[in-house]
């Protein structure tokens, strides 16, 4: 059985973080008020938040591999690398089709080449040809992976296409659990990783966001059958990025549950105590990244599960 967690985390340090007009239509978590902020302000604040998060993760014993973004081409969402790439125990690296044209520019072969010097890369599986058909699958944003039980949870949305999901699952030998998730206004949630987080022996999920009761039961049963203790969050908590958590481990093997401070503050005492049974909680102020970028702590981390050399 494969490990669910890793201590090797890839993060991209922003150089021109800004409100992305191309993603705003499908991402209700982006605050349109952030459009009025200058790029200097958004970049300065995002960089401060990013550096503080990296520093705290490293202090907790996580191996954070930071790559600087480039000024050209302009990629306002480069801080969220888990959407364009994923890394697997088998040595497979997956590249994903992205909905926004300026997000496709985030894919960087130089990063893969550098990781090859540290880890074993067996093959790069490229799914980006689906962009020509306007079909998208945005990595571990679109999919929340139970690596232990080879199950991919995915809520179908404009950024998560069922056909691409099937193609990915066939190549990766994963079982799919597909469902539809909506926010309080009935709009499809853009990414599965704001709805749920799957750990080794627990899962955090907003079941309330799954309107179809059969789908809700399917998801709940799949989690239970894989031995996960389910911790439910509300729609209001989901809107504060409480579903956007990631379980990582320190180099000493300790479980760390990474989330934003807004996510942490939305949790009640009972939920916090439950989560603390499974991991030490690490939370960070990511206010600018969340409001302007519409993503949070989990989106900023691409887990490198590749085998070492």
């Amino acid at each position: 059985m494969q490990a669910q967690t890793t201590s090797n985390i890839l993060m991209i340090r922003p150089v021109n973080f800004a409100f992305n007009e191309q993603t705003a239509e499908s991402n209700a978590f982006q605050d349109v008020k952030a459009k009025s902020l200058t790029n200097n302000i958004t970049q300065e604040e995002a960089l401060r938040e990013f550096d503080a998060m990296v520093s705290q993760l490293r202090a907790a014993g996580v191996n954070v591999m930071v790559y600087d973004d480039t000024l050209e081409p302009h990629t306002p969402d480069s801080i969220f690398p888990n959407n364009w790439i994923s890394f697997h125990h088998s040595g497979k690296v997956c590249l994903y089709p992205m909905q926004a044209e300026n997000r496709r520019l985030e894919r960087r072969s130089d990063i893969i080449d550098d990781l090859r010097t540290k880890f074993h890369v067996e093959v790069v599986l490229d799914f980006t040809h689906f962009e020509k058909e306007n079909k998208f699958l945005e990595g571990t944003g679109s999919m929340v992976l139970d690596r232990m039980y080879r199950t991919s949870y995915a809520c179908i949305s404009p950024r998560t296409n069922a056909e691409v999901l099937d193609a990915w699952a066939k190549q990766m030998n994963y079982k799919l659990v597909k469902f539809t998730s909506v926010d309080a206004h009935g709009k499809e949630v853009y990414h599965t990783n704001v709805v749920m987080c799957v750990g080794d022996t627990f899962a955090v999920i907003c079941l309330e966001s799954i309107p179809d009761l059969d789908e809700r039961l399917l998801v709940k049963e799949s989690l239970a059958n894989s031995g996960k203790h389910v911790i439910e969050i509300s729609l209001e908590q989901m809107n504060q990025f409480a579903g956007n958590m990631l379980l990582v481990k320190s180099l000493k093997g300790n479980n760390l549950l990474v989330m934003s401070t807004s996510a942490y503050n939305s949790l009640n005492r009972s939920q916090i105590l439950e989560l603390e049974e499974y991991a030490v909680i690490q939370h960070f102020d990511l206010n600018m990244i969340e409001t302007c970028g519409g993503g949070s702590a989990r989106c900023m981390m691409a887990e490198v599960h590749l085998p070492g050399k």
Side-chain angles (χ1 to χ4, degrees), residues 12 17 23 31 89 95 103 114 127 170 178 201 206 208 221 238 273 290 293 300:
I12 305 292
F17 179 82
T23 59
D31 188 342
H89 297 86
L95 298 177
R103 294 216 62 193
D114 187 64
F127 296 92
K170 184 176 180 181
K178 303 175 194 173
T201 56
C206 183
E208 184 185 352
E221 285 184 343
M238 182 182 82
L273 289 173
E290 289 179 329
M300 297 167 65

Side-chain angles (χ1 to χ4, degrees), residues 39-301:
N39 286 12
N40 285 345
I41 292 174
T42 56
Q43 164 62 17
E44 186 178 313
E45 275 300 294
L47 187 60
R48 180 188 63 78
E49 293 170 358
F50 177 92
D51 286 344
M53 179 174 170
V54 169
S55 177
Q56 191 173 327
L57 284 174
R58 285 175 170 167
V62 180
N63 178 33
V64 184
M65 296 169 284
V66 175
Y67 293 87
D68 288 321
D69 188 18
T70 54
L71 276 171
E72 293 295 333
H74 180 212
T75 49
D77 280 333
S78 62
I79 203 168
F80 305 130
N82 79 310
N83 298 144
W84 67 267
I85 195 165
S86 67
F87 307 94
H88 304 268
H89 297 86
S90 58
K92 292 178 180 175
V93 175
C94 297
L95 298 177
Y96 294 97
M98 311 278 281
Q99 184 186 49
E101 290 186 13
N102 62 8
R103 294 216 62 193
R104 300 170 191 176
L105 302 172
E106 295 172 26
R107 297 190 290 254
R108 287 172 54 186
S109 58
D110 63 308
I111 291 177
I112 299 172
D113 289 342
D114 187 64
L115 289 172
R116 284 181 192 272
T117 67
K118 306 176 180 72
F119 303 94
H120 173 68
V121 175
E122 182 70 26
V123 65
V124 176
L125 299 176
D126 190 342
F127 296 92
T128 62
H129 59 89
F130 280 103
E131 288 170 352
K132 296 173 184 174
E133 303 173 44
N134 287 319
K135 295 172 182 173
F136 313 110
L137 183 69
E138 298 189 337
T140 52
S142 289
M143 301 179 291
V144 173
L145 304 182
D146 184 342
R147 295 174 186 263
M148 298 167 69
Y149 289 89
R150 303 192 73 81
T151 302
S152 170
Y153 295 87
C155 60
I156 303 302
S157 77
R159 300 206 204 172
T160 305
N161 177 273
E163 184 183 332
V164 191
L165 266 172
D166 291 340
W168 180 90
K170 184 176 180 181
Q171 287 272 2
M172 297 298 293
N173 192 29
Y174 263 67
K175 180 179 75 173
L176 293 175
V177 178
K178 303 175 194 173
F179 56 98
T180 299
S181 185
V182 299
D183 62 20
H185 304 289
K187 183 176 181 177
E188 288 179 340
V189 178
Y190 78 115
H191 276 164
T192 314
N193 74 2
V194 295
V195 176
M196 64 188 295
C197 157
V198 171
D200 48 5
T201 56
F202 72 96
V204 176
I205 184 169
C206 183
L207 288 171
E208 184 185 352
S209 74
I210 306 174
D212 186 296
L213 297 182
D214 289 333
E215 289 185 346
R216 190 183 298 186
L217 182 62
L218 175 70
V219 173
K220 198 170 183 178
E221 285 184 343
S222 178
L223 291 168
N225 289 340
S226 59
K228 305 289 190 283
H229 171 66
V230 176
I231 300 170
E232 289 193 48
I233 57 172
S234 66
L235 279 171
E236 186 177 347
Q237 290 172 323
M238 182 182 82
N239 288 338
Q240 298 301 313
F241 292 100
N244 199 243
M245 306 173 179
L246 182 67
L247 185 70
V248 304
K249 66 179 178 182
S250 71
L251 291 167
K252 293 182 178 179
N254 299 317
N255 274 359
L256 306 171
L257 187 59
V258 182
M259 66 186 77
S260 71
T261 297
S262 62
Y264 180 82
N265 288 341
S266 77
L267 300 173
N268 61 45
R269 186 64 189 152
S270 174
Q271 290 167 322
I272 290 171
L273 289 173
E274 273 190 285
L275 291 170
E276 287 178 337
E277 290 183 22
Y278 300 100
V280 174
I281 294 175
Q282 298 276 336
H283 64 88
F284 315 92
D285 170 23
L286 301 174
N287 183 63
M288 178 60 73
I289 293 168
E290 289 179 329
T291 55
C292 185
S296 189
R298 191 275 168 269
C299 307
M300 297 167 65
M301 298 178 286

Side-chain angles (χ1 to χ4, degrees), residues 13-33:
R13 193 170 191 258
V15 297
N16 200 355
F17 179 82
F19 187 89
N20 191 348
E21 294 272 7
Q22 292 186 22
T23 59
E25 184 179 345
S26 59
N27 184 350
F29 288 82
Q30 283 178 256
D31 188 342
V32 291
K33 295 175 186 173

